[in-house]
Amino acid sequence: MNISTSKIKDILDEFGVGVYSECGKLDIVLMHRPGKELLRLTKENYHHFLFNALPNIVQTHQSHDIFSQYLRDHGIHVLYLADLLRQTLISSDQARSQLIHGILTNSHFNHNNQQQSLLALQQWLLHRTPEQLTEDIIVGVAYSQDELGTSDYTQILLTINNSTNEYLIPPLPNLLFMRDEFSIIDNHVFIWQMNKPTRINEPLLLHIIFQYHPHLSNCGLEIIEWQKNIDENDKEIPTIEGGDVAYLGDGILLIGCSERTNRTGIEALTRTGLFHQVIVIMIPPERCYMHLDTILSSVGKHAFTLHGLLAETMQIYTVENQYSHQNTCLKPKWISHGCNVRQTLRKLLNNPDLIFYDAKDEQTSIDEQRQCRHNVVVIDDCHVVTYAGSDADKGIVTCMSHNNMCRVGLIPFEGLLEGGGGVHCMTNAVRRRPK
Ligand SMILES: NC(=[NH2+])NCCC[C@H](N)C(=O)O
């Protein structure tokens, strides 16, 4: 579904932008409807691309369209990444150069031919139209005459490639999980730095969109260069992925320190000084718990989902800024609050009645966590969406809907779950009201 730039302007004018909670009414969301990049997945490479199995693209489209239609049926405007990127590249030469520069920076060739290959790739990219560039960066470009055409630079690229690399530009099948590349918090845009190399080009696209899109670049959102706040002594590169980030509103940030989001990243974010409280949950660094939202997500003002198996084993910290006498920001301090997630969040969030929904027994909870059902997205307070197929007696959906506590919309998982993410992972709010 194509949305024109003028329609986008109307939506932004009508609703405004900014995300002020995880559970207020959702008005505008960004998603990516997967395309031919999924056809790049094979039995040999799907692990490399962080998929658990091969999806059937017809099913992916069906399920994804049912999901986006559910959102539209409840008054949410769905924007699509490919539309925004194309519109940005059409309207701004600077955006095109920045995209090309970013692709070149992230490309690595055989050491001996690095310089020559980069020049050839640059020339090849400079001859692409905005529409072609949009497709190249999302779908990827294979080392083949078919895809590269017959120019002089093509010959150089094909000759130089030592055939160990299948792709000149790698495909981005994980764009399906639009949650992870950025977060909007209040009216600030944070473009994240991915931990997994195969996702390295994804944030680049979002940076270009928020910086140059004819309407999103001047609608009152400000990009924050959070990763500049690292200490000289920090040895690791700061990484944060959006699935670890839950902005609860009123300056309170809940964040997972996980396989993907590291301490240096969390400290750099804290040092922006934009948060009143930063609460960190230490998540076991395992693939099945890759982000905070695989085990906990917001359901409404009164509740979260929480995978019970981990509820009393994950250390919780608050991270606070410290300043020198000259008022320079020093390394933040980590204060431990023990390992009981339920108790600690009730206390830190000053809400003794906070509810944590889970399946009724441990094995069902484990099964449902693996099927991404703790991963819910809020439409409005107490109205969420998750994947269908939850156990009718013991499943988390039954627990959430008990006594009409919550309304739970269900969408098919076929064609989506193979990528290892749920409905929260596939959406990213551009406008969400306070709780
Ligand atoms: N917010 C999330 N939980 N995202 C899920 C991302 C799944 C993706 N295949 C990855 O491994 O990166």
Side-chain angles (χ1 to χ4, degrees):
M1 198 174 137
N2 280 7
I3 303 189
S4 66
T5 35
S6 60
K7 173 83 183 145
I8 290 176
K9 181 171 185 320
D10 292 345
I11 297 172
L12 298 177
D13 285 348
E14 184 180 345
F15 291 93
V17 288
V19 175
Y20 297 93
S21 70
E22 268 271 304
C23 62
K25 165 85 174 71
L26 181 60
D27 290 318
I28 309 176
V29 79
L30 181 58
M31 294 177 76
H32 174 62
R33 185 180 192 266
K36 293 193 202 115
E37 65 279 7
L38 288 189
L39 300 175
R40 303 292 203 179
L41 298 170
T42 63
K43 273 204 224 103
E44 288 69 38
N45 73 15
Y46 72 77
H47 277 302
H48 164 82
F49 285 112
L50 308 171
F51 271 59
N52 299 335
L54 282 179
N56 170 323
I57 189 166
V58 177
Q59 278 183 341
T60 308
H61 282 158
Q62 277 169 358
S63 300
H64 202 265
D65 291 346
I66 291 174
F67 181 26
S68 55
Q69 192 54 45
Y70 187 94
L71 298 175
R72 281 189 285 270
D73 289 345
H74 291 90
I76 297 162
H77 291 280
V78 180
L79 309 181
Y80 288 103
L81 173 96
D83 290 338
L84 299 185
L85 185 59
R86 194 179 338 97
Q87 292 163 359
T88 306
L89 295 173
I90 289 173
S91 71
S92 161
D93 287 342
Q94 259 175 311
R96 291 186 60 191
S97 337
Q98 200 161 309
L99 179 68
I100 294 174
H101 179 261
I103 296 176
L104 295 173
T105 311
N106 292 340
S107 297
H108 299 286
F109 296 94
N110 183 320
H111 183 64
N112 299 332
N113 304 313
Q114 174 81 358
Q115 226 23 49
Q116 202 188 359
S117 310
L118 283 176
L119 280 174
L121 174 57
Q122 184 182 36
Q123 288 307 319
W124 188 82
L125 288 167
L126 285 170
H127 286 84
R128 305 293 279 170
T129 63
E131 290 78 4
Q132 288 171 327
L133 274 178
T134 304
E135 174 114 346
D136 295 338
I137 181 79
I138 296 175
V139 179
V141 178
Y143 275 108
S144 80
Q145 192 104 52
D146 257 10
E147 294 192 25
L148 284 168
T150 51
S151 66
D152 293 349
Y153 337 111
T154 304
Q155 285 322 316
I156 299 176
L157 289 164
L158 287 173
T159 322
I160 286 177
N161 176 41
N162 55 11
S163 80
T164 48
N165 282 338
E166 197 180 350
Y167 293 105
L168 175 61
I169 302 177
L172 300 177
N174 286 299
L175 276 179
L176 168 61
F177 304 112
M178 196 32 55
R179 174 68 51 174
D180 297 331
E181 299 82 3
F182 74 102
S183 304
I184 298 179
I185 297 181
D186 296 332
N187 65 343
H188 298 129
V189 186
F190 295 84
I191 312 284
W192 302 125
Q193 196 146 276
M194 313 302 277
N195 165 286
K196 295 284 176 193
T198 182
R199 302 191 67 176
I200 195 172
N201 273 337
E202 294 177 33
L204 180 62
L205 312 190
L206 278 307
H207 207 290
I208 285 160
I209 288 170
F210 286 110
Q211 198 172 353
Y212 298 110
H213 184 275
H215 304 302
L216 276 164
S217 64
N218 54 28
C219 60
L221 292 172
E222 183 196 349
I223 301 179
I224 304 292
E225 301 291 343
W226 60 276
Q227 60 281 61
K228 293 208 170 122
N229 294 315
I230 55 167
D231 212 85
E232 289 165 0
N233 303 320
D234 284 332
K235 302 237 165 23
E236 66 182 1
I237 294 174
T239 65
I240 295 184
E241 296 192 5
D244 278 313
V245 177
Y247 180 57
L248 305 182
D250 301 323
I252 304 174
L253 179 76
L254 182 63
I255 185 163
C257 186
S258 66
E259 182 193 77
R260 308 292 178 89
T261 294
N262 60 23
R263 292 175 78 103
T264 311
I266 294 173
E267 290 183 2
L269 191 56
T270 305
R271 288 169 70 165
T272 59
L274 292 169
F275 303 99
H276 153 73
Q277 188 174 38
V278 177
I279 305 173
V280 181
I281 303 188
M282 305 301 289
I283 298 172
E286 287 169 37
R287 167 144 179 90
C288 61
Y289 308 132
M290 68 187 101
H291 296 115
L292 175 71
D293 68 0
T294 63
I295 49 183
L296 174 147
S297 36
S298 200
V299 175
K301 284 183 211 163
H302 73 301
F304 293 95
T305 62
L306 176 64
H307 176 41
L309 193 73
L310 302 177
E312 284 166 29
T313 58
M314 296 184 296
Q315 188 84 32
I316 304 188
Y317 291 91
T318 44
V319 184
E320 287 180 8
N321 277 322
Q322 303 188 97
Y323 298 91
S324 70
H325 292 311
Q326 291 79 31
N327 217 18
T328 45
C329 191
L330 305 169
K331 207 166 173 55
K333 188 156 101 197
W334 290 63
I335 301 156
S336 171
H337 297 271
C339 293
N340 189 322
V341 177
R342 299 185 189 98
Q343 222 175 45
T344 310
L345 286 183
R346 284 184 188 125
K347 194 165 132 222
L348 291 174
L349 299 177
N350 210 3
N351 181 356
D353 301 323
L354 205 55
I355 293 175
F356 293 91
Y357 292 113
D358 193 9
K360 279 191 192 148
D361 63 37
E362 190 170 296
Q363 190 53 48
T364 314
S365 178
I366 292 173
D367 295 343
E368 304 230 316
Q369 190 277 332
R370 300 291 187 273
Q371 293 152 8
C372 295
R373 278 196 205 90
H374 293 76
N375 186 277
V376 308
V377 69
V378 173
I379 304 288
D380 200 349
D381 194 29
C382 301
H383 177 187
V384 298
V385 188
T386 192
Y387 284 143
S390 180
D391 187 287
D393 295 326
K394 297 180 286 179
I396 189 165
V397 171
T398 304
C399 296
M400 286 192 279
S401 338
H402 185 68
N403 281 343
N404 291 328
M405 286 293 277
C406 302
R407 176 171 170 200
V408 186
L410 299 173
I411 62 127
F413 55 82
E414 289 86 356
L416 300 173
L417 184 60
E418 292 82 348
V423 297
H424 188 263
C425 320
M426 289 187 284
T427 54
N428 208 332
V430 174
R431 163 74 190 168
R432 191 190 277 284
R433 301 181 200 176
K435 61 182 173 188

